[in-house]
């Protein structure tokens, strides 16, 4: 059933449903009073007692911070994020029952980034913004834009990419899409929360140049271009200070340098002490209670609650510090129409939202390898064996805080059956068991092998499980709180795939995971390999359509896929945190492809890689110096038999510089759709920032004159055109 009631209607219904404890909807925005000017921020602030102000800067339930009813200030209602509006919680965090909260489940962050389609970033955000507004929430806790540094990070699926430029471009679209609907985003997790292991205690060290060139650009763009209204301070320490206490991160960089005027929200329970956190520009302490009483937390005991009042009362902290925080919150509330009641109502579970989920899923599929076997033709296949437990598995509920109660989720098996109907006989055998510590199961393998041998073609759908195989134990893949144990496929899948390919060489491997797995055992024998991520509610339909040629793949990898874990820079040049909980980024700038290029390591699949069923020719590169920067022009022609979309990527290299620079850096991309035989001219303008690097001694960005090469290609390792320009 569609949930078709507005926030106000929901608020009216709440008592009827017996849901007074719902996190959202208890205190709707105060309606405008006819003819009477709403009080401005300073008037409201001036009318508040210290207790009322402090009530606004800490959680008063699992997903709200306090309002001041007598002054018409509603609670600020938040929700996860980032790829759907999370299910309803009671005020004490547990799942609310008896409420229709099943909504649109979009593909995960890495899938969105794999589309390399900025318009889809906006459309994705628009869906989230509309559904957030409809559900009566004010802030959606996303996008997640931590740089993907280490394949083991349990939360990579929620993030976008290893590359700062792609990160910024996709984040800006998402943020604008959400905020144009009158709700705020919370860009997270600021900053360098790139592992889940001991995330509340690890200390991240990195040099200043790496911070500026790799980790900060996404947040800079989110704030300065996207206009993000809130930012979430991460759990970890950064150079010895907790992110929620860091004067460098919050005051010097975010406020003073980036000019961020919005609200900084802590990650849940990321605050550890009152004075150090209150003294910097952290505005709201969020969290549930981590004590044994966690289902009935004492919010008055939060660091930004009674202890803070005490510090003001005894003269340790000036009340103006609290005023600044409250002022920023009130301003954001104004921006998202919480006082005027002018926020658009939003919409929920519309066919348009489902169409966006489908389009993102279509465009996110990355065809990693194809010897010509794909696309499959229905007419050639009488019997199709689908093998793999993931073919029948749903993922919306996985991953931790990003979980979504999906209105529906089409699995790969259902997608294939939907598409093929009665034309093709489709069998399914799981082949492996999803269970903690499960290894290859001879019985399941035998059944899968028999099915494969009896079929004309095999579609293997495996990968990771996106969640905990056993509640909160050590068996999690692509899930919050726990990193992956290694980069191997779990549950004996390598053995299974090898046996299936031996039984029927016409096997396509489709993997659902947030990032790379080690494919060495079987990749050379597979006829085709598809990276399918976690594709949202329409993921199964998208995969089936792509395998059978109804959709031409156009996704490109937003991160390098190393052949093996040891080849990834965080493992080759740095190490997984030890007992001292130090995450030292000794690899520096060598994150992702910057490492593979500089150290001449062959990846399994390069950053930006993704095949198509058609072919594209690149020609006529022109480089000219224009008013705004270097104008890069080229012609792309679809030289193959079918329509398709190509992601044209522009990489810059500085030939001579005082400091060592990466061999190539992405500085522009565009996705272009072309009919067979059609061609189009594409133009990019590369501004000063595309050629500059951060000089830590000068503490600023430097553009050194000299020769730069511009490489244009279909991936970071498939460069089709090169040119040089003197600056
Ligand atoms: C996560 C955040 C999330 C928050 C609220 C935290 O554990 O790190 O990303 O938004 O919980 O669920």
């Amino acid at each position: 059933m569609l949930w078709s009631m507005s926030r106000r209607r929901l608020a009216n219904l709440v008592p009827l449903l017996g849901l007074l404890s719902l996190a959202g909807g208890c205190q709707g925005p105060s309606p405008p009073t006819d003819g009477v000017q709403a009080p401005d921020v300073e008037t409201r602030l001036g009318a508040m007692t210290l207790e009322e102000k402090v009530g606004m800067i800490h959680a008063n339930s699992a997903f709200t911070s306090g309002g001041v009813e007598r002054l018409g200030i509603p609670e600020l209602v938040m929700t996860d994020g980032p790829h759907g509006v999370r299910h309803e919680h009671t005020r004490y965090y547990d799942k609310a029952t008896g409420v229709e909260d099943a909504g649109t489940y979009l593909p995960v962050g890495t899938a969105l980034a794999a589309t390399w389609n900025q318009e889809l970033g906006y459309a994705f955000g628009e869906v989230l913004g509309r559904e957030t507004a409809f559900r009566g929430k004010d802030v959606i806790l996303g996008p997640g834009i931590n740089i993907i540094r280490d394949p083991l990070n349990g939360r990579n699926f929620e993030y976008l990419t290893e590359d700062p430029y792609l990160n910024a471009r996709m984040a800006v679209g998402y943020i604008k899409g959400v905020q144009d609907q009158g709700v705020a985003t919370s860009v997270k997790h600021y900053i360098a929360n790139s592992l889940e292991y001991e995330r509340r205690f690890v200390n991240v060290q990195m040099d200043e140049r790496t911070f500026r060139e790799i980790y900060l650009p996404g947040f800079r763009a989110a704030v300065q271009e996207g206009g993000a209204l809130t930012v979430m301070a991460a759990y970890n320490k950064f150079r010895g200070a907790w992110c929620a206490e860091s004067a460098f991160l919050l005051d010097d960089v975010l406020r003073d340098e980036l000019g961020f005027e919005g609200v900084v929200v802590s990650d849940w329970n990321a605050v550890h002490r009152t004075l150090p956190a209150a003294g910097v520009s952290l505005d709201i302490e969020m969290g549930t209670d981590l004590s044994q009483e966690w289902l009935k937390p004492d919010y008055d005991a939060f660091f930004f609650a009674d202890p803070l009042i005490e510090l003001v009362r005894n003269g340790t902290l000036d009340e103006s510090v609290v005023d600044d925080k409250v002022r920023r919150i009130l301003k954001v509330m104004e921006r998202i129409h919480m006082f005027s009641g002018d926020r658009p109502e939003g919409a929920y579970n519309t066919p348009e939202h489902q169409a966006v989920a489908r389009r993102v899923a279509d465009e996110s599929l990355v065809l990693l390898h194809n010897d010509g076997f794909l696309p499959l033709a229905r007419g050639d296949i009488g019997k199709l064996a689908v093998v793999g437990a993931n073919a029948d598995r749903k993922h919306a509920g996985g991953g931790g805080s990003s979980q979504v109660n999906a209105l529906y989720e089409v699995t790969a098996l259902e997608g294939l059956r939907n598409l093929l109907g009665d034309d093709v006989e489709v069998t399914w055998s799981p082949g492996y068991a999803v269970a903690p510590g499960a290894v290859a199961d001879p019985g399941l393998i035998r059944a899968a092998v028999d099915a494969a041998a009896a079929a004309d073609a095999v579609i293997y759908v495996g990968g990771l499980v996106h969640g905990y195989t056993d509640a909160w134990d050590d068996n999690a893949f692509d899930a919050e709180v726990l990193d992956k144990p290694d980069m191997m496929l779990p549950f004996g899948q390598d053995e299974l795939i090898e046996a299936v390919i031996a039984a029927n060489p016409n096997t396509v491997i489709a993997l659902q995971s947030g990032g790379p797995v080690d494919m060495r055992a079987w990749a050379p024998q597979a006829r085709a390999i598809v990276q399918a991520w976690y594709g949202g509610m329409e993921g199964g339909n998208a995969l089936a359509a792509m395998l059978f040629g109804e959709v031409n793949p156009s996704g490109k990898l937003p991160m390098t896929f190393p052949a093996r874990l040891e080849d990834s820079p965080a493992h080759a040049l740095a190490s997984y945190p030890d007992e001292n909980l130090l995450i030292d980024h000794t690899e520096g700038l060598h994150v992702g492809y910057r490492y593979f290029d500089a150290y001449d390591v062959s990846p399994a699949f390069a950053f930006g890689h993704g095949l198509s069923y058609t072919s594209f020719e690149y020609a006529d590169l022109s480089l000219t110096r224009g008013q705004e920067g270097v104008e890069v022009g080229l012609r792309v022609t679809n030289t193959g038999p079918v329509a398709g979309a190509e992601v044209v990527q522009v990489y810059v290299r500085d030939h001579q510089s005082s400091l060592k620079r990466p061999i190539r850096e992405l500085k522009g991309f565009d996705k272009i759709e072309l009919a067979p035989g059609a061609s189009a001219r594409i133009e990019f303008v590369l501004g000063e920032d595309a050629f500059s690097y951060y000089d830590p001694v000068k503490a600023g960005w430097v553009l050194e004159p000299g020769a730069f090469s511009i490489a244009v290609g279909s991936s970071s390792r498939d460069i089709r055109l090169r040119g040089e320009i003197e600056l």
Side-chain angles (χ1 to χ4, degrees):
M1 194 182 83
L2 295 191
W3 189 26
S4 55
M5 76 188 84
S6 70
R7 175 184 182 150
R8 258 169 257 137
R9 284 165 63 201
L10 173 66
N12 292 338
L13 272 180
V14 161
L16 298 180
L17 294 169
L19 288 170
L20 269 167
S21 58
L22 268 181
C26 293
Q27 247 184 317
S30 42
T33 331
D34 282 347
V36 180
Q37 184 83 35
D40 64 13
V41 163
E42 292 306 325
T43 312
R44 284 187 207 272
L45 188 59
M48 290 165 76
T49 65
L50 176 63
E51 284 74 8
E52 285 170 338
K53 290 179 207 168
V54 169
M56 289 187 68
I57 65 171
H58 66 85
N60 69 345
S61 84
F63 286 95
T64 56
S65 53
V68 184
E69 213 167 347
R70 78 177 177 94
L71 297 175
I73 301 171
E75 293 176 325
L76 188 67
V77 184
M78 311 181 197
T79 179
D80 287 297
H83 46 258
V85 182
R86 195 175 176 183
H87 61 71
E88 289 297 328
H89 290 78
T90 67
R91 293 186 73 80
Y92 296 112
Y93 190 78
D94 41 356
K95 192 174 186 313
T97 50
V99 56
E100 299 271 352
D101 56 9
T104 299
Y105 164 44
L106 294 158
V108 297
T110 45
L112 173 64
T115 69
W116 291 59
N117 183 336
Q118 298 180 60
E119 280 166 31
L120 275 187
Y122 184 90
F124 190 101
E126 201 176 22
V127 170
L128 291 173
R130 286 157 65 99
E131 300 217 344
T132 306
F134 190 90
R135 288 265 298 273
K137 319 278 183 195
D138 308 307
V139 183
I140 182 155
L141 305 170
I145 65 165
N146 289 104
I147 286 290
I148 296 181
R149 167 182 183 255
D150 185 333
L152 297 189
N153 179 26
R155 258 182 126 171
N156 282 343
F157 70 92
E158 264 188 83
Y159 303 142
L160 302 173
T161 171
E162 69 188 20
D163 180 75
Y165 182 80
L166 180 60
N167 205 26
R169 301 294 17 111
M170 297 309 290
V172 167
Y174 178 124
I175 292 162
K176 288 188 169 164
V178 170
Q179 295 194 168
D180 283 353
Q181 314 314 311
V183 297
T185 50
S186 197
V187 187
K188 64 191 189 183
H189 307 87
Y190 181 68
I191 198 168
N193 175 191
S194 13
L195 281 179
E196 287 299 281
Y197 174 74
E198 293 287 355
R199 62 184 181 173
R200 294 181 66 239
F201 302 101
V202 287
N203 180 23
V204 175
Q205 289 289 354
M206 69 173 71
D207 65 85
E208 192 63 12
R209 188 171 168 207
T210 301
F211 170 68
R212 303 274 167 180
E213 291 192 18
I214 307 288
Y215 290 87
L216 191 59
F219 288 95
R220 178 186 290 276
V223 167
Q224 297 184 332
E225 292 179 59
L229 289 169
T230 91
V231 167
M232 188 188 291
Y235 280 122
N236 49 289
K237 288 181 182 168
F238 184 81
R239 297 183 184 153
W242 269 297
C243 289
E245 289 185 3
S246 166
F248 169 71
L249 288 177
L250 300 184
D251 298 342
D252 303 349
V253 177
L254 191 61
R255 299 279 186 214
D256 296 348
E257 209 182 300
L258 306 192
F260 179 64
E261 291 177 352
V263 168
V264 181
V265 177
S266 77
D267 201 341
W268 268 234
N269 303 97
V271 178
H272 297 255
R273 302 179 294 182
T274 302
L275 195 56
V280 297
S281 38
L282 177 77
D283 299 314
I284 304 181
E285 179 195 3
M286 289 304 295
T288 43
D289 193 332
L290 294 181
S291 72
Q292 287 175 345
E293 291 292 306
W294 76 289
L295 282 180
K296 290 259 180 288
D298 178 4
Y299 287 108
D300 291 337
F302 267 38
F303 296 103
F304 273 22
D306 287 351
L308 195 143
I309 293 178
E310 175 59 26
L311 289 183
V312 176
R313 293 253 184 267
N314 71 21
T316 311
L317 196 73
D318 200 276
E319 191 168 341
S320 65
V321 172
V322 181
D323 290 352
D324 288 344
K325 299 180 194 306
V326 175
R327 186 177 291 113
R328 286 190 285 260
I329 298 169
L330 290 170
K331 283 187 178 166
V332 166
M333 287 180 152
E334 238 179 26
R335 288 281 302 277
I336 56 175
H337 316 292
M338 288 177 67
F339 302 127
S340 66
D342 285 345
R343 178 184 299 160
E345 274 213 338
Y348 210 61
N349 287 330
T350 64
E352 291 78 20
H353 293 185
Q354 289 150 17
V356 171
R358 173 63 195 270
R359 224 184 125 202
V360 176
D362 282 345
E363 292 198 27
S364 74
L365 292 167
V366 182
L367 182 54
L368 294 172
H369 161 72
N370 185 17
D371 71 0
F373 187 56
L374 290 182
L376 301 170
R378 284 175 202 225
D380 296 348
I381 295 170
K383 195 167 181 177
L384 181 72
V386 179
V387 175
N390 272 20
D392 189 40
R393 203 176 162 85
K394 299 190 179 186
H395 301 288
S401 61
S402 62
Q403 61 190 196
V404 177
N405 183 12
L407 182 67
Y408 64 84
E409 179 178 350
V410 180
T411 64
L413 185 60
E414 285 165 353
L416 285 162
R417 289 193 166 136
N418 290 344
L419 183 81
L420 300 174
D422 295 333
D423 295 355
V424 177
E425 188 191 338
V426 178
T427 65
W428 173 65
S429 39
Y432 60 90
V434 175
V439 292
D441 179 320
L444 290 175
I445 293 183
R446 204 170 315 114
V449 160
D450 289 347
D456 300 311
V458 182
I459 310 285
Y460 180 86
V461 186
L464 305 182
V465 292
H466 197 199
Y468 317 96
T469 50
D470 198 6
W472 301 94
D473 70 355
D474 281 344
N475 293 275
F477 305 89
D478 286 333
E480 191 176 335
V481 179
L482 290 168
D483 292 329
K484 284 163 260 187
D486 51 41
M487 220 178 81
M488 304 310 291
L489 280 172
F491 318 128
Q493 289 181 77
D494 280 344
E495 214 171 299
L496 168 66
I497 295 173
E498 284 177 273
V500 167
I501 294 179
N504 188 338
N506 289 332
T507 296
V508 175
I509 308 293
L511 296 175
Q512 295 169 328
S513 62
V517 295
D518 187 324
M519 306 180 200
R520 286 173 299 159
W522 44 262
Q525 283 78 49
R527 300 215 57 185
I529 306 173
V530 180
Q531 177 60 31
W533 316 106
Y534 302 110
M537 68 204 306
E538 286 286 334
N541 286 335
L543 180 63
M546 185 266 215
L547 294 171
F548 281 84
E550 298 200 353
V551 165
N552 189 353
S554 65
K556 301 275 187 177
L557 287 182
M559 80 279 278
T560 310
F561 274 22
R564 42 180 204 154
L565 184 63
E566 304 88 284
D567 288 347
S568 74
H571 293 264
L573 302 180
S575 58
Y576 199 74
D578 57 12
E579 61 281 3
N580 297 321
L581 302 184
L582 176 69
I583 304 186
D584 199 350
H585 286 224
T586 43
E587 79 280 10
L589 295 176
H590 295 115
V591 177
Y593 64 91
R594 287 165 169 78
Y595 163 76
F596 288 82
D597 292 343
Y599 286 75
D600 202 14
V601 177
S602 294
F605 299 103
F607 175 78
H609 169 75
L611 303 172
S612 167
Y613 293 150
T614 190
S615 49
F616 298 97
E617 192 184 273
Y618 290 53
D620 304 335
L621 179 69
S622 65
L623 302 177
T624 36
R625 274 200 270 174
Q627 294 261 306
E628 315 267 297
V630 174
E631 292 167 7
V632 180
L634 70 143
R635 177 161 294 283
V636 178
T637 307
N638 180 347
T639 50
V642 289
E646 171 70 327
V647 177
V648 178
Q649 302 160 39
V650 181
Y651 295 89
V652 170
R653 178 177 192 179
D654 188 353
H655 279 293
Q656 254 193 332
S657 56
S658 307
L659 300 188
K660 236 176 139 194
R661 299 192 63 181
I663 288 183
R664 58 178 75 88
E665 293 181 272
L666 182 74
K667 295 296 174 185
F669 66 90
D670 199 4
K671 191 164 194 175
I672 165 167
E673 268 190 69
L674 290 170
S679 81
R681 187 142 186 96
I682 312 181
E683 301 198 333
F684 301 88
V685 179
L686 304 181
E688 222 174 271
D689 50 344
F691 300 95
S692 307
Y693 66 89
Y694 186 83
D695 184 334
V697 174
K698 295 185 177 140
W701 291 84
V702 175
L703 198 175
E704 280 186 339
F708 290 83
S709 72
I710 310 286
V712 184
S714 181
S715 95
S716 64
R717 296 245 166 161
D718 181 5
I719 299 302
R720 307 288 181 83
L721 300 171
R722 275 176 211 280
E724 288 221 347
I725 190 141
E726 198 77 25
L727 293 181

